[in-house]
Amino acid sequence: MNKNGILVTAMVLAAAPAAWASGGPDLGLALLEQVQPSAEQLAEVEKLRAELFGDLARLKGDLTVKRDALWALRRAEQPDRRAIVALEAEVEVLLAKVLDRHVEYRAAVRELLSADQQRQMFTLVYESRSGSGGGSAGDMSVGNGAGETSSAVTGT
């Protein structure tokens, strides 16, 4: 693989956590439907999803601009290392914002759910990830190192 191929691969892998954080919002919607939300809850979730996707579209646009500038710096006859490092740091900040926005969305959705629905959702998420050990349910659980978990939302 040539240097350009390696760079492209590295940039795709850098974006992967943001794109697939906790299975993405569509996986969460499929799980949400299994806890039988009310029509009002679903309407509010759709509103939150629309806000999420709007925010993600803006962040993606910002990332595209930064990555294009980064590619231009790297292609220069004499690349400016400091400028490249600074721009890479800006890209990392934007990627962190994408991940943070997903966390905010999931927390807002959880707040809409009853305690019983939260427990059901936790169980669904935990069971879908149980192959990776206790405490593996993303930001919905806290492991104690002994395979036991509790819901960060309900404390159970």
Side-chain angles (χ1 to χ4, degrees), residues 7 11 18-19 24 30-31 35-37 44 53 63 71 80 86 94 100-101 111 117 120 123 126 131 136 139 143:
L7 289 173
M11 292 193 76
L31 290 173
V35 301
Q36 301 174 338
E44 191 62 30
F53 290 139
L63 276 166
W71 278 109
D80 180 344
L94 288 171
D100 289 347
R101 188 59 187 91
E111 288 176 12
Q117 288 172 317
Q120 290 173 24
T123 300
Y126 180 75
S136 63
D139 64 342

Side-chain angles (χ1 to χ4, degrees), residues 109-156:
V109 170
R110 278 195 308 267
E111 288 176 12
L112 296 172
L113 302 176
S114 68
D116 187 49
Q117 288 172 317
Q118 289 178 15
R119 281 190 291 277
Q120 290 173 24
M121 181 70 89
F122 171 78
T123 300
L124 290 167
V125 170
Y126 180 75
E127 288 175 356
S128 72
R129 298 178 182 190
S130 61
S132 59
S136 63
D139 64 342
M140 293 185 71
S141 70
V142 180
N144 67 3
E148 295 178 18
T149 61
S150 66
S151 170
V153 173
T154 62
T156 60

